[in-house]
Amino acid sequence: MSDSDTFAEQARPASSQRTPDEVRAQLQQWFAAREPGEARTAVVLTSSTRGALGERKDKTGPKIAEWLRGKGYDVAGPLLVADADVSVALREALAANPSVVLTTGGTGVAKDDRTPEAVAELLTREVPGVGEAMRAHGRANTPLADVSRSVTGFAGSTFVATLPGSRVGVADGLADDVTYSSRVEAIR
């Protein structure tokens, strides 16, 4: 797949809400266009009802996608979905069997924050130490790090991690390269 055919360029602007069927179709299109043998693939999902309605710009999904590309992953997304649709979007992302799925948003304590529950029900093996490491790193910047309900583990062979929806929380979650690069790649 050429650089001009990347998923990000094929996708709608982040302010456009995607239905679960559109998420499925975009993921299928993206994975079908991959070169044979392309092993390091990732999906970034942003869970934000206000973002999906175009009321808030997605500032964290693009940062995560950029970070993953810097690590050599071919990235689908960020895909912006409403909080109520995150479970369906996760199932669709996992059906494409990527190496990694990272989510942002929906990890707080608001009544519509559902990402940790949606991820937890799909995990076949939990890896709670990764989330603990992200919270520990975040504590140095904000006491609110402990409010994040990060869930990490494997759904089949796909590593899945939930990151907060704040820029600081995402920066903290990605700051410790050892958390993802060494630990996750070593156990894949």
Side-chain angles (χ1 to χ4, degrees):
M1 177 154 74
S2 72
D3 288 338
S4 63
D5 293 332
T6 63
F7 181 86
E9 292 171 354
Q10 295 171 8
R12 279 198 236 179
S15 63
S16 299
Q17 183 174 359
R18 290 175 178 82
T19 66
D21 287 339
E22 289 173 318
V23 169
R24 178 184 311 112
Q26 286 185 309
L27 287 168
Q28 288 172 344
Q29 176 186 8
W30 179 72
F31 278 96
R34 287 179 37 242
E35 295 293 328
E38 227 177 330
R40 291 172 52 102
T41 56
V43 175
V44 177
L45 294 176
T46 300
S47 176
S48 170
T49 299
R50 289 182 53 205
L53 293 172
E55 297 173 0
R56 174 185 286 171
K57 183 178 179 182
D58 180 6
K59 296 180 180 178
T60 55
K63 294 291 184 191
I64 296 169
E66 177 184 329
W67 182 84
L68 284 164
R69 285 186 187 100
K71 299 286 179 211
Y73 286 88
D74 187 12
V75 181
L79 299 172
L80 181 57
V81 299
D83 291 301
D85 295 329
V86 71
S87 182
V88 173
L90 277 163
R91 289 179 190 283
E92 295 301 331
L94 290 169
N97 199 31
S99 304
V100 175
V101 172
L102 295 183
T103 71
T104 177
T107 63
V109 294
K111 66 178 181 169
D112 61 343
D113 287 339
R114 302 175 183 164
T115 306
E117 291 79 9
V119 169
E121 71 182 33
L122 300 174
L123 294 181
T124 53
R125 287 175 290 159
E126 290 184 36
V127 185
V130 175
E132 292 165 11
M134 289 189 293
R135 276 187 290 279
H137 184 81
R139 257 183 232 112
N141 296 317
T142 177
L144 293 176
D146 287 328
V147 178
S148 176
R149 299 179 306 124
S150 180
V151 174
T152 53
F154 285 88
S157 63
T158 301
F159 177 73
V160 184
T162 62
L163 289 103
S166 72
R167 287 178 285 181
V168 172
V170 166
D172 287 339
L174 300 179
D176 182 9
D177 282 346
V178 174
T179 299
Y180 287 107
S181 300
S182 299
R183 294 181 194 172
V184 173
E185 291 300 324
I187 57 179
R188 276 195 49 77

